[in-house]
Every structure is written in C-alpha cells, then in structure tokens.
Amino acid sequence: MTEQERWHELAQQLRVDSVRSAAVAKSGHPTSSLSAADLMAVLLAKYLRYDFDGPENPANDHLIFSKGHASPLLYSVYKAAGAISEEELLTFRKFGSRLEGHPTPVLPWVDVATGSLGQGLPISVGVALAGKKLDRIPYRVWCLCGDSEIAEGSMWEAFEHAAFIGLDNLTAIIDVNRLGQRGETMHGWDLDSYADRARAFGWSAVEIDGHDLEQIDRAYEEATTTTDRPTVIVAKTIKGKGVKEVEDKPGWHGKALDHADEAIEELGGVRNEVVDVAKPDRADPHVFETGSLELPAYDVGEEVATRKAYGDALAAVGKADGLVVALDGEVSNSTFAEIFAEQVPDRYFEMYIAEQQMAAAAVGLQVRGWKPFASTFAAFWTRAYDFVRMAAISRADIKLCGSHAGVSIGEDGPSQMALEDLAAFRAVHSSTVLYPSDGNSAAKLVAEMADRDGIVFMRTTRASTPVLYEPDEDFPIGGSKVVRDGDDVTVVGAGITLHEALKAADALAAQGVSARVIDLYSVKPIDEETLRAAAEATGCIVTVEDHWPEGGIAEAVLSVFAEDEERPKVVSLAVREMPGSGTPDELLAAAGIDAEHIADAALKLVSATAAHR
Amino acid sequence: MTEQERWHELAQQLRVDSVRSAAVAKSGHPTSSLSAADLMAVLLAKYLRYDFDGPENPANDHLIFSKGHASPLLYSVYKAAGAISEEELLTFRKFGSRLEGHPTPVLPWVDVATGSLGQGLPISVGVALAGKKLDRIPYRVWCLCGDSEIAEGSMWEAFEHAAFIGLDNLTAIIDVNRLGQRGETMHGWDLDSYADRARAFGWSAVEIDGHDLEQIDRAYEEATTTTDRPTVIVAKTIKGKGVKEVEDKPGWHGKALDHADEAIEELGGVRNEVVDVAKPDRADPHVFETGSLELPAYDVGEEVATRKAYGDALAAVGKADGLVVALDGEVSNSTFAEIFAEQVPDRYFEMYIAEQQMAAAAVGLQVRGWKPFASTFAAFWTRAYDFVRMAAISRADIKLCGSHAGVSIGEDGPSQMALEDLAAFRAVHSSTVLYPSDGNSAAKLVAEMADRDGIVFMRTTRASTPVLYEPDEDFPIGGSKVVRDGDDVTVVGAGITLHEALKAADALAAQGVSARVIDLYSVKPIDEETLRAAAEATGCIVTVEDHWPEGGIAEAVLSVFAEDEERPKVVSLAVREMPGSGTPDELLAAAGIDAEHIADAALKLVSATAAHR
C-alpha cells in the first residue's frame, strides 16, 4: 500500500470504530466523528509525536479535541495508537467506563475535559504557552475544533492571544462540516469566512478539502514549518462522511446510526490495525532558579489591604517555587499581581481583558505541571465561570484570586462589586474558598494555595485593614480563628466584615454582652469544630458577609449544623438591596453589614435567645 | 462660530465637566473621558436623535457606553443635553446620587448598566435587533467602546452577530486611546488591527483621527448611510486629551486629576452651554398579531419532559403575547425552543453557540420592552454568568431557561450537566429560580415568567417524567405543593428528584413511615409557610437535589429556618462526587439521590429524631 492508502485505511478504521462505539452506547456523536477522521488519520500516522506508553513524557505533543463531542473519534484514535483495547472502546458511555460521553482526564492521554464548546482552543493556547515560555520544549499542540464553536467569543480570545504570543507550536484544525446540532452554522462551507477572520487576527490559515489526504498532509507540513505565528487549517468536510445514509444530512447530530452494521460494511468492515505513533525526542522541562521562601510580614495594627498582601506573597512564593506562574487580566495594579510581574517577569503573563482565556490558560499551564495563579476583580471571574466549572471536570489544579469584593469597594459601584463569588465558587466541585481578613493571614494562605489541589479561590479586599495576626501565626486551609472570645453570641465574619465584627464586639462589650468573633478565613472547607464549639458556648450566631445572602457565609454556616442535634439560631447579615456608589463606610452601613448593624442584630438575638430559654 | 468651532467648544465643555465631576468625587475616569469627548460632541450636536424629555419615546436613538468607566463623559453629555443640572453633575459618585461610578438605569437615559467591559456592544446588538426586526423603527444604536475591551471574546460575538443580521442601524465607535488600566493595550495605536478584524467579520470600518472634528463628522455620515452592514469607527485618540499633564501618560487610569483647576483653565474654563439635541420623528413600534392563551395540557400520568413543556408553553405564550420573543443558543431541538421557532418565526432569533451574546441580546431586547425568553443547556448559562449578574444591575427583565440539568441527563457526562446553576442563579439580585417537576406545572410557570420582573430562571429536565398535576392547577411563583401528606418526615425535592421522592414515599409507607413530599418548584422565592408547616408536623426534613450540595435546595431550605425558634434537622442529599457517564438511573443512584437513598436517609432521620425526642 502507498502511504496514502494506509492513511485511508486508518481513516476508515477510525470511522468504523466511531460508528461501533456509538452503536453499542446507543448514543454519542458518530457523524461529528466521521467528518474529521481523515484529518486525524494523517495526524496520527505522520505528524503526532506521542509516547502513548508514557503520557507523562514532557516532550509529548498534545492533542486536544475542542469539539469534545467527537469523543468516538478520539477514543478510536487511542485504539489505533494501541492505547486502549477494542474491548474498552466498546464500553463507551457505559457507567464506570473511562470513555465518557465527552473526554475527561480520567484517561491519561486526555489533558483536559472538553464538551463545553469553545474551551479546547483557549486551553490549547495555555499548553502551547507552557511549551514556548516555560517548558521550552518543542512539543506541538494540535487542537481539533468544530465549526459551530467558532461562534464562541472565547475562541477569538484564543486566536488573539495565540497570535500575540507568536505560538507557532499551536495548530488549530477546524472541521467545517457545515452542520451544527440543529441546522447549518452561520457560515456553512464558506471556508474564507473562517480563514479571513483568522488571518486578520494574525494567524496563518490554510484552506483544504478535509477529505483529501494529500491536501491534509501538505497543510500539516505547512503548519509545522510556519514560524512566528500559529496556523489554522480550515478543512471543508462532510458530516457523516463515508456513510451515505447520513452524509451531510441534518437531524443526525448526537445520535447513533440507525443501521450501524450496514455503515460498517460500507466503510469496509472492522479493522484492528495499530499505528506505530512516532515518539518525541527526549527533552526535559526548563527549570527556573529559585531561592528560599520569604513571605512578607506585616506588623500587627499596620494597615494593609489583603490584595496587596496577595501580591507581596505571590512574588515571594514565585521566587521560592519555580513552578509558580502568574497571570492577570489587565488589572495587575489593582490585584497587585504586578509585584510578581516585576520580580518574576519570566513567569508572568499579561492576559489583557480576556478572563475566559486567562482561566483557560491557567488550565493549560497546569496540564504541564505548572502552578498558575490568575487574578482579576472577583466580579469578573463570573466571566469565566464556565471555564472554572469545566476546570473542575478537568481535575485541574488552578489558583484564582478575585480582588475588590463586595460593596466595601465604594464609589465604583455595583458593576465592580463581587457579591456572588462565594456562592459561585463554593458550588464548584472540590473547590477551596479562602477569604482572609488581614495581610499576614492572606500571605500565609497564598503559600498554602500553591500546593493545594483543585480549584482554589481567594477573595481579597480593596481597602486597607488593620493587621490582626502575628506573622508567624499559621492559617491551615479548613481552619478558622477565634479572634475574640465570648459567651453570649457568636459573630462570624471574614474579610472586611471581620473588622466590623470586632468593632461590634467592642460596642457589645460596653453593653455587657460578650461576643465571640470568628474569622472564617476558610469558607470552604469550613471549620466545623470551631463553629460547633462556638454554637455550644453561645447558642446563637450572627453571620455577616459582604455578599448577597444566598450561597455565601451564612449558608455555609447553616450547612454545618443542618444535621446536628443542637442547631443554633443563625441571623444572617448580608447585602440585600442593589448598592450604588458611596464611600465604603456608607455602603457597609446601607447594606446593614457594618459594626452598628452587627451589634444591633447581636443584641436582639441575645435577648430573643435568653427570652426563649 | 462655525459648526466645527461650536463642536470644539462643546467637546471642551464635555472635557471640563468630566474633569470637574471626577475632581469633586476625587475618583473616576476623567482621562478615559477626555479621549472620547470630540467623538461625543459631534454625535450629540449633529447625529443623535433623542428626546431627552421623553426617554421612553420609542423612536429615540440609543447611546450606550460600553466603556462604562467613561461615565464622567456620559454624564457631561447629559448635562450638555440639558437633561441634568450642573448641581447634579457634581454629585458624581456620591452616596445616593443617580450618577454612579459606572452608568446604571437609575438614570432614565441609561438603557443598561455597563462597567463590566465587553458587554455594551453585545447589548447594543440586542437593541439594534429590536429596532430592525421587532419595533421596525429606524432608530440608531451608537455604542462607544474602549480599545482594551476589544480583547473580550464577547465583543467578537457581537461583531459576528451584528454583521450576520445586517444591523446597519448599529454604529460602534472604538476610542483607541492606546492605554488600558495598567499599560498599553495589545495593539496600541495600530488602527488597522481593529479595522481589519472588523472587516473580516463583515463590518464596514472607518479609521479616523478621533480628535479631528471633520473626520469624525465624515465617519458618522458614512455610518448613517452605509446599508446592510454595521459600521465601526476606529478612532485614534489620546488618553487625557487636552490636559498636557496627563496626555498619553500611563498611570492615570481611573484617577481624578491632581490639578483639576489648572486643567479646567487649560481646557478653556467652565461652560454651561446646552445643545438642542435633535428629536426623532414620531414612530410607533410594530404590533404583532396575537390570539388567546392556550397553554398545553397534559394528562396526569402521561410522560413528558419539562423541557418539552417549556417549548410547548413558550409557543403558546408567544402566540398570545406579541411582546414575547425567544432566543436559543443552537440547541433549540434540545431545549424545545424550536417549537416557538416554528410557530412564531418572526419573533425567534437563533443565537448560535454564543451564550454571552444571547444573554446580551435578551438584555438589549428588553430595553425596548420586549419580553425575551432565552434558552440553552443549564450548564452553558455559566458561560454568560457575568452578563446575568450585570443584567440584574441593569434592572433587566429577562427570562432564561436552562435544560439538561443534573446527573440525570445520563450518558453525555459532566460537561453537559448543570450542577451549580441553582446556586449561581439564586445568588443574583432579585432573581426568581423555578424548577418544575411535570409538564403542567412547567407550562403554568412559563406563563408566569412572561410577566415576572427581574432575572427569571427556569431549570428543566432532559428525561420524560410522569405528569403529576391536572392542567388547571395553579403554580404561583413563591409557592410549593404538598404532593404527598405525611407526619413522620418531610422530603423536599424538585424536578427529577421529586419523582424519586415520591417513589421513596411509597417505599417508606410500606415500612410504616409516613413521608410528606413537597414539590419545591419555586426555589426562589421559597414557600416558607408550607415548609414551616411541614417542619412543625414532621420535625425533620430530607432535601434531595440533582445539584452540588452548595447553594441549592438544601441551603435554600436551611435559610428559611435559620432564625426560627424551632429549627428542623435537615439531611441534604446532593451530588457529592464528580459524575461520569451512565444511564440516568445509574447516575442518580451513584450520586445518592435516587428513591432508595432517599428512603434510607428518611428512615435513619426518623429513627434518630424519635430517639432524641
């Protein structure tokens, strides 16, 4: 057989296996797999450099299916590479199988979960960035995209950043099969519309017939030899290619074929050939020089914003740990990531105002073992919430910081105030949610974040607040601090409200009420033990948070006691009306979360509790 | 004075007022206002058609500051138009002032809140869409954009959609002042980079010197005479223009000037001229023909998916209410918005896979009084969370439907499963969160949504489930249903889990345990009365939800009782491990939220409660 004949045979095998796996699953996306089979066959046979026995090999290329629904094709590629057996292929979509409906990293060759469209390419930018600037290994990132998902703005963030950084190690392959889930895409088979846009964004673009093996070969050749810029291969394909019954027909998205046996026959029958995929040359990741960890230390009583402490500590952690990388969304002078940028410039990446790309880059960087810290205003993490959700499915280890939380930012008004971030991040699987109140605790927690698995979020405060703790105090994740002891009522605060709680405790003490004040710096996981002890001692709790009432500190505290025999009464102080502009003090007062409102609520609660006893 | 001299005087007045307002506020973004003053002066003096005494006039143009931080300029424009007084201008950013740090619709001339960058343009697309396809009035939408925000992918969703729809009534003005918050943008003063991208996306683009009044005039002229496509004016400007101390200097973003008096002097001093802004010709919005409301009715016991009922009911509501409009993110055959698309095609808009643009379009449509229902998989609403957050600040009335919630979708796996949507939507100010369990309740709630203010979210289920209620039963928002009476334990479910709860109640009854089952179809607002009655009768509650444990039904229920004297024990059944693929039944069981787990939990809870009594 000629090389092209071998490629064709391989492509047909990938098609057959896509049809077979969906057939046994009775669901899945075979037609979306058939369109891209030729593209993947040539890639696997000639261009991919991958050690399937050693997926952790740092020199491996990366193959990311941004169109994650084409998972039958991806798994068929793995089978053709000898990585999975025919038997396992046919467990597709079964309970307990590693071959899920959309790819996840429960398979060792899958870098990240995809299936929420528009994410694979921005994540690929992150992986390619790691290759270029951190690992400094010439691996390539191959990203198979659907044409429908090009409508996602996040794809254009990726196009923009990849060109700006000059990621010639990245190749995007757009499988232009014309048909989305419910009908034709905006641009159908107008390849120019994709190529022109990509070129305007600074990419090299190659338009090909995605079923012409020679054209595919030449396009990959061009992609691998183009320097200074990424390449996109815009491939005209036919959805369902190879199975006449479904070729280019609407109504066949996400469905197993009606007549799988006939389709397999039409495709030339079952084959079980294994491709000897080329392995990469050995290479080791670049190692950055580091020193010892010298966290910032602030004097008790000194005024420092936790966001400033984040920046100071991040720079310190970065200088001590060569795997730490920082990203920021064009607000580094507000989040104080700029301190890292100044002190560790080789590992700092400006992501401009593109929060989705920033989150995706973080996910891509951690694919290669780097420890990304990404920051913006906490309010603007809402922009990347789908990426955070998917990062959890990717089992990604990323560290996110959100500054300028709550009404206490003052004059800028509600668009800049995060008031839903605690709820949003608590509701992410395996997340950690931190909310320090002073500089020293913030610094210690930044150090903890570096080695914490999963999605770790730190909420920081705009205003400077007095340092409460000595620099040598420890702040384990999952802990809390009793900053004031008391027996009559417990006040639970964090961040800006802890300082209001302390003022309230002073006012209460003057009225003979002894308030216990807890610094809930770890909102998730939460310190159940300390809260239970407080509830037992005081019988009632006031929670106070610069956040909407739902899903934040109050509900986290309520959940602790839900099943307990003794369940304290909990009064929740939170932001309940839409704030406007004003000074931080005016806005804290208007929201009913300042010292005066805390003291009032505590007094009422103590009276009511006493009356009821 | 010549026309151009008058424009110059007006521009200088806008500059002076921008400087003054920021000076009294001691914060704000005067330099970002100075760069665009000439652009706004010519617009106000010659091109804008706006009745400032009648902001509700349907024929008015729309002026949207996508770069919302240039609010000093916007408010100065309002003063120049005679809409606000000098006195009010100087209340900028003060507590209680309508002139917030970033614009919000507490001012009658502000259509939507901006300040989260990258939103004004996609929202403008929605307003222009309303003008073109619904109102059918030749008003224009003028959108002032910053150059930094062009990095947001959502801007490219807007570029894509505006061109695709052919919105020649939309003009975007990019104020290319080169400097972002912390330094230079990606493209600096490379106007071509913006114009080339926009042209590739199908726009007409005009590159000008944004301080040359003649060029500005010609550009607007071109924009207003270009047909079939939108126009972007790419204007090279100088940040801080007119005040030498800050012109084109980094470090002056978001700061009042140090020497405001000298700056005002340099700009020619205080002026209080009022422009006679041209009013639009009278025009009335198009009225669509409608009939009477005939909601779908399903027979009790019939199997119907709530997502199907959503589609049926939406079409019915649309045929009865000519203001109802539907949008979908390329999954209308899954959400069943396709039923509306077929039956009410004039008021249906396909938004492709661009959830941010879809949310923004909904916000834009409701600016003009339309009632948008937008749908996608509930998981993919996370993509537009920042737009939903901002929509609340816009006091927008939008109706969102998220289908395919939870692990019960089955084989597609976690990327497609919404497990955080209840938490996310509960934590939106003034939101309503609905989660029907059967076809008839879903249909009734869709009708309720049409006239409900604020952000209204409905979660629907993929699977068909038995109809529980007669078609004539009412489902007021804020209510719930006791679907099974009982005295020993209360089980609270919604959507898919309600059906599991009912099966559990049968199993419990067989063991002599009488379970009360509540259908919590309105998760927010929540029916406190029915829950309190249940707690009083049964003393303990099991909540069961196809959602992560945080921020969903369990915590909503806990919050009801937080301050009560009698607080029931609440056991929360929720999804606690990352799901994979499998059948719905397998995944419900694996998550511990199926009938068997509910019955087990209820039994244990009843025993424990009895033992403790």
Side-chain angles (χ1 to χ4, degrees):
Chain A
M1 281 198 286
T2 65
E3 191 173 37
Q4 283 204 25
E5 282 164 352
R6 285 204 310 279
W7 294 343
H8 175 71
E9 282 302 299
L10 175 58
Q12 293 299 84
Q13 172 173 321
L14 298 178
R15 289 193 166 95
V16 167
D17 285 341
S18 297
V19 170
R20 290 168 79 196
S21 54
V24 291
K26 298 188 183 66
S27 69
H29 297 77
T31 58
S32 305
S33 297
L34 296 178
S35 59
D38 298 307
L39 292 160
M40 289 303 101
V42 179
L43 182 69
L44 189 70
K46 184 166 172 186
Y47 291 94
L48 189 71
R49 298 285 172 273
Y50 200 99
D51 177 2
F52 277 90
D53 295 326
E56 72 296 338
N57 185 335
N60 280 339
D61 280 359
H62 295 265
L63 173 59
I64 294 177
F65 268 39
S66 195
K67 54 176 291 187
H69 56 285
S71 55
L73 177 60
L74 182 64
Y75 303 149
S76 300
V77 165
Y78 292 160
K79 171 172 165 281
I84 65 169
S85 66
E86 183 177 20
E87 189 182 6
E88 183 166 16
L89 180 75
L90 300 179
T91 66
F92 179 49
R93 288 180 163 240
K94 296 265 188 302
F95 184 72
S97 170
R98 301 189 297 178
L99 277 50
E100 299 184 7
H102 294 75
T104 75
V106 298
L107 283 167
W109 317 283
V110 173
D111 287 325
V112 291
T114 51
S116 178
L117 290 169
Q119 299 210 7
L121 187 61
I123 291 171
S124 296
V125 168
V127 179
L129 176 65
K132 200 85 169 163
K133 306 279 187 182
L134 298 170
D135 287 326
R136 305 177 186 177
I137 298 176
Y139 54 74
R140 299 195 65 80
V141 182
W142 307 93
C143 181
L144 180 66
C145 306
D147 49 352
S148 280
E149 67 176 325
I150 307 296
E152 288 282 14
S154 55
M155 298 298 271
W156 294 102
E157 295 182 15
F159 276 107
E160 185 74 284
H161 282 257
F164 184 72
I165 308 168
L167 296 175
D168 52 18
N169 55 344
L170 172 64
T171 305
I173 305 145
I174 309 182
D175 177 19
V176 186
N177 66 22
R178 192 184 72 83
L179 292 172
Q181 167 172 329
R182 52 85 257 151
E184 191 167 30
T185 63
M186 260 190 197
H187 302 296
W189 273 327
D190 178 6
L191 300 193
D192 286 349
S193 75
Y194 299 103
D196 289 349
R197 286 161 172 70
R199 288 190 191 109
F201 274 73
W203 284 51
S204 173
V206 192
E207 300 179 37
I208 63 167
D209 173 345
H211 303 306
D212 181 320
L213 297 166
E214 197 183 320
Q215 288 189 34
I216 295 171
D217 182 30
R218 278 208 305 268
Y220 285 138
E221 182 64 30
E222 186 171 332
T224 52
T225 52
T226 297
T227 53
D228 297 332
R229 57 183 56 206
T231 298
V232 58
I233 298 171
V234 183
K236 179 180 175 180
T237 63
I238 293 169
K239 196 160 178 171
K241 171 72 178 178
V243 180
K244 287 279 174 279
E245 189 181 6
V246 296
E247 271 191 2
D248 194 34
K249 293 227 171 60
W252 282 103
H253 182 93
K255 287 179 188 163
L257 304 191
D258 278 348
H259 307 101
D261 289 341
E262 289 88 327
I264 293 165
E265 187 68 31
E266 185 181 351
L267 291 163
V270 171
R271 302 156 176 84
N272 286 304
E273 295 300 314
V274 173
V275 180
D276 189 15
V277 178
K279 290 187 173 54
D281 294 334
R282 193 192 145 77
D284 292 312
H286 176 76
V287 175
F288 290 90
E289 274 184 40
T290 52
S292 58
L293 178 62
E294 291 181 41
L295 282 180
Y298 310 101
D299 294 334
V300 170
E302 183 184 347
E303 296 264 332
V304 59
T306 51
R307 62 184 170 124
K308 174 67 162 49
Y310 170 80
D312 286 338
L314 182 59
V317 168
K319 286 186 282 184
D321 182 343
L323 294 176
V324 166
V325 179
L327 312 165
D328 191 90
E330 222 277 312
V331 288
S332 58
N333 53 340
S334 289
T335 60
F336 284 104
E338 68 178 7
I339 302 170
F340 185 101
E342 285 154 17
Q343 298 186 10
V344 195
D346 285 357
R347 282 180 275 136
Y348 177 79
F349 302 108
E350 175 58 55
M351 300 308 290
Y352 299 92
I353 308 185
E355 294 81 8
Q356 296 184 98
Q357 177 58 74
M358 178 161 64
V363 172
L365 293 170
Q366 65 84 46
V367 163
R368 285 289 313 120
W370 301 95
K371 300 177 181 174
F373 282 74
S375 50
T376 183
F377 283 26
F380 304 142
W381 276 119
T382 55
R383 198 61 153 264
Y385 192 40
D386 193 25
F387 285 77
V388 172
R389 175 185 80 89
M390 289 294 297
I393 303 175
S394 289
R395 283 70 170 173
D397 301 323
I398 56 175
K399 301 97 180 46
L400 309 178
C401 176
S403 69
H404 292 69
V407 301
S408 68
I409 67 164
E411 288 80 359
D412 269 332
S415 63
Q416 320 292 302
M417 295 170 177
L419 289 164
E420 61 294 302
D421 55 322
L422 297 177
F425 278 101
R426 283 183 68 234
V428 167
H429 184 61
S430 301
S431 65
T432 296
V433 179
L434 306 173
Y435 187 14
S437 301
D438 89 330
N440 286 327
S441 56
K444 283 290 178 73
L445 288 165
V446 169
E448 295 264 339
M449 289 171 82
D451 294 308
R452 178 84 175 173
D453 287 344
I455 314 299
V456 189
F457 174 67
M458 174 178 280
R459 184 186 223 215
T460 64
T461 301
R462 176 172 187 253
S464 293
T465 50
V467 172
L468 300 172
Y469 303 103
E470 296 292 346
D472 60 355
E473 183 124 9
D474 284 330
F475 292 84
I477 289 171
S480 68
K481 295 286 177 189
V482 177
V483 281
R484 188 74 62 89
D485 216 347
D487 300 325
D488 295 329
V489 60
T490 298
V491 181
V492 177
I496 193 81
T497 62
L498 182 71
H499 299 275
E500 298 300 315
L502 286 168
K503 284 184 250 173
D506 290 340
L508 289 164
Q511 296 176 70
V513 172
S514 151
R516 181 175 303 201
V517 178
I518 293 179
D519 174 2
L520 198 74
Y521 65 81
S522 178
V523 178
K524 181 186 175 187
I526 195 167
D527 182 355
E528 302 196 352
E529 192 181 335
T530 299
L531 288 168
R532 287 214 174 86
E536 195 172 323
T538 66
C540 58
I541 296 177
V542 175
T543 62
V544 52
E545 58 196 309
D546 196 354
H547 188 274
W548 299 125
E550 297 87 3
I553 289 175
E555 294 191 352
V557 167
L558 285 168
S559 283
V560 169
F561 300 105
E563 297 190 31
D564 287 5
E565 293 304 335
E566 297 299 325
R567 297 174 295 277
K569 191 182 283 193
V570 176
V571 170
S572 158
L573 303 182
V575 183
R576 286 167 202 277
E577 299 299 328
M578 184 60 72
S581 291
T583 65
D585 285 347
E586 284 169 338
L587 294 174
L588 288 169
I593 57 172
D594 66 346
E596 192 176 332
H597 285 86
I598 298 168
D600 282 356
L603 267 182
K604 273 190 207 123
L605 184 56
V606 168
S607 315
T609 308
H612 195 253
R613 266 175 181 170
Chain B
M1 279 198 288
T2 66
E3 190 173 38
Q4 283 205 22
E5 282 165 353
R6 284 203 311 278
W7 294 343
H8 175 71
E9 281 302 300
L10 175 57
Q12 293 299 84
Q13 172 174 320
L14 298 178
R15 290 194 165 94
V16 167
D17 284 342
S18 297
V19 170
R20 287 168 80 197
S21 53
V24 291
K26 298 189 182 66
S27 69
H29 298 76
T31 58
S32 305
S33 296
L34 296 179
S35 58
D38 298 307
L39 291 160
M40 289 303 102
V42 179
L43 182 69
L44 189 70
K46 184 166 173 186
Y47 291 93
L48 189 72
R49 298 285 172 274
Y50 200 99
D51 177 2
F52 276 92
D53 295 326
E56 74 294 338
N57 185 335
N60 280 340
D61 280 359
H62 294 265
L63 172 59
I64 294 177
F65 269 38
S66 195
K67 53 175 290 185
H69 56 284
S71 56
L73 176 61
L74 182 63
Y75 303 149
S76 300
V77 164
Y78 292 160
K79 171 172 165 281
I84 65 169
S85 66
E86 183 176 20
E87 190 182 6
E88 183 167 15
L89 180 75
L90 301 180
T91 65
F92 179 49
R93 288 179 163 241
K94 298 265 188 300
F95 184 73
S97 169
R98 300 190 296 177
L99 276 51
E100 298 184 8
H102 294 75
T104 76
V106 298
L107 284 167
W109 316 284
V110 173
D111 287 324
V112 291
T114 51
S116 179
L117 289 169
Q119 300 209 8
L121 186 62
I123 291 171
S124 296
V125 168
V127 179
L129 176 65
K132 199 86 170 163
K133 306 280 187 181
L134 298 171
D135 286 326
R136 304 177 187 177
I137 297 176
Y139 55 73
R140 299 195 66 79
V141 182
W142 307 93
C143 181
L144 180 66
C145 306
D147 48 352
S148 280
E149 68 175 324
I150 306 296
E152 288 282 14
S154 55
M155 298 298 271
W156 296 102
E157 295 183 15
F159 276 106
E160 185 74 284
H161 282 258
F164 184 72
I165 308 168
L167 296 175
D168 51 18
N169 55 344
L170 171 64
T171 305
I173 305 145
I174 309 182
D175 176 19
V176 186
N177 66 22
R178 190 183 73 83
L179 292 171
Q181 167 173 330
R182 50 84 258 153
E184 191 167 29
T185 62
M186 260 189 198
H187 302 298
W189 273 326
D190 177 6
L191 300 193
D192 285 348
S193 74
Y194 299 103
D196 288 349
R197 285 161 172 70
R199 287 189 192 111
F201 274 72
W203 285 51
S204 173
V206 192
E207 299 179 38
I208 62 167
D209 173 346
H211 303 306
D212 181 319
L213 298 167
E214 199 183 318
Q215 288 189 34
I216 295 171
D217 183 29
R218 279 206 305 266
Y220 287 137
E221 182 64 30
E222 187 172 331
T224 51
T225 52
T226 298
T227 52
D228 297 331
R229 56 183 57 207
T231 298
V232 58
I233 298 170
V234 183
K236 178 180 175 180
T237 63
I238 293 168
K239 197 161 178 170
K241 171 73 178 179
V243 180
K244 287 278 174 281
E245 188 181 7
V246 296
E247 271 190 2
D248 194 35
K249 293 225 171 63
W252 282 103
H253 183 93
K255 287 180 188 163
L257 305 191
D258 278 347
H259 306 101
D261 289 342
E262 288 87 330
I264 293 165
E265 187 70 29
E266 186 181 350
L267 291 164
V270 171
R271 302 155 176 86
N272 286 306
E273 294 301 314
V274 172
V275 180
D276 189 14
V277 178
K279 291 186 174 55
D281 295 334
R282 193 192 144 79
D284 292 312
H286 177 76
V287 175
F288 289 90
E289 274 185 40
T290 52
S292 58
L293 178 62
E294 292 181 40
L295 281 181
Y298 310 100
D299 294 334
V300 170
E302 182 184 347
E303 296 264 330
V304 59
T306 52
R307 61 184 171 124
K308 174 66 165 47
Y310 170 80
D312 286 337
L314 183 60
V317 169
K319 285 187 282 185
D321 182 344
L323 295 176
V324 166
V325 179
L327 313 166
D328 191 90
E330 222 276 313
V331 288
S332 58
N333 53 341
S334 290
T335 60
F336 285 103
E338 67 177 9
I339 302 170
F340 185 101
E342 284 153 18
Q343 300 187 9
V344 195
D346 285 357
R347 283 180 273 134
Y348 176 79
F349 301 108
E350 175 57 56
M351 300 309 290
Y352 299 91
I353 309 185
E355 294 81 7
Q356 296 184 99
Q357 177 59 74
M358 178 161 66
V363 172
L365 293 170
Q366 65 84 46
V367 163
R368 285 289 311 120
W370 301 95
K371 301 177 181 175
F373 281 73
S375 50
T376 183
F377 284 26
F380 304 142
W381 277 119
T382 55
R383 197 60 153 266
Y385 193 39
D386 193 26
F387 286 77
V388 173
R389 175 185 79 87
M390 288 296 296
I393 303 175
S394 289
R395 282 71 169 172
D397 301 323
I398 57 176
K399 302 96 179 49
L400 310 178
C401 175
S403 69
H404 291 70
V407 302
S408 68
I409 67 163
E411 289 79 0
D412 269 332
S415 63
Q416 320 293 300
M417 296 169 177
L419 290 164
E420 61 295 301
D421 54 323
L422 297 177
F425 277 101
R426 284 184 67 235
V428 167
H429 184 61
S430 302
S431 65
T432 297
V433 179
L434 306 173
Y435 187 14
S437 301
D438 91 329
N440 286 327
S441 56
K444 284 291 178 73
L445 287 166
V446 169
E448 295 264 339
M449 289 171 82
D451 294 307
R452 177 82 176 174
D453 287 344
I455 314 299
V456 189
F457 174 68
M458 174 178 280
R459 183 187 224 216
T460 64
T461 300
R462 177 171 187 254
S464 294
T465 49
V467 172
L468 301 172
Y469 304 103
E470 297 290 346
D472 60 355
E473 182 124 10
D474 283 329
F475 291 84
I477 289 173
S480 68
K481 295 285 177 191
V482 177
V483 280
R484 188 73 62 88
D485 215 349
D487 299 325
D488 295 330
V489 60
T490 299
V491 181
V492 178
I496 193 80
T497 62
L498 182 71
H499 300 275
E500 298 299 316
L502 287 168
K503 284 184 250 174
D506 290 341
L508 288 164
Q511 296 176 71
V513 172
S514 152
R516 180 175 304 202
V517 178
I518 293 179
D519 174 1
L520 199 74
Y521 65 80
S522 178
V523 178
K524 179 186 176 187
I526 195 166
D527 182 356
E528 301 196 353
E529 193 181 334
T530 299
L531 287 168
R532 285 214 175 86
E536 197 173 321
T538 67
C540 58
I541 297 177
V542 176
T543 62
V544 52
E545 58 195 309
D546 196 355
H547 187 274
W548 299 126
E550 297 86 5
I553 290 175
E555 294 190 353
V557 167
L558 284 168
S559 284
V560 168
F561 301 104
E563 296 190 31
D564 287 5
E565 293 305 334
E566 297 300 324
R567 297 174 294 277
K569 191 183 280 193
V570 176
V571 170
S572 157
L573 303 183
V575 184
R576 288 168 201 276
E577 300 299 328
M578 183 59 72
S581 291
T583 66
D585 284 347
E586 285 169 338
L587 294 174
L588 288 169
I593 57 172
D594 65 347
E596 193 177 332
H597 285 87
I598 297 168
D600 282 356
L603 269 183
K604 272 191 207 124
L605 184 54
V606 169
S607 315
T609 308
H612 196 253
R613 265 175 180 168

